[in-house]
Amino acid sequence: RRVQIRVNADKAEKVAINIINSNGVLISTQEAHTQVGDNNIAINKVDALPGGVYYIEVVSSTRSLRTKVMKLN
């Protein structure tokens, strides 16, 4: 399975995508390049994670967005 997120970017730039567990521990990080407007970004290595609550954080040069997700087994 693959997880995708949609990010609306103000400018073309490199962003960091972080997966954080419910204890606040950084589980993985990856980089993506955005263009101005809506961007669909695939999140890698989600299948290897055990079931539970996670936060997906997108960090750009101007802002940080975080959303809560639940992975079911």
Side-chain angles (χ1 to χ4, degrees), residues 14-68:
K14 183 170 63 174
V15 297
I17 312 295
N18 301 320
I19 298 178
I20 301 162
N21 70 13
S22 60
N23 295 322
V25 176
L26 179 65
I27 301 298
S28 71
T29 189
Q30 71 182 62
E31 291 183 348
H33 294 276
T34 61
Q35 301 299 318
V36 174
D38 285 338
N39 296 267
N40 290 321
I41 300 172
I43 307 296
N44 300 325
K45 303 177 184 174
V46 174
D47 285 343
L49 297 174
V53 175
Y54 296 91
Y55 297 92
I56 297 177
E57 181 180 57
V58 180
V59 181
S60 73
S61 63
T62 58
R63 62 183 174 167
S64 176
L65 305 168
R66 185 182 280 199
T67 189
K68 184 178 180 179

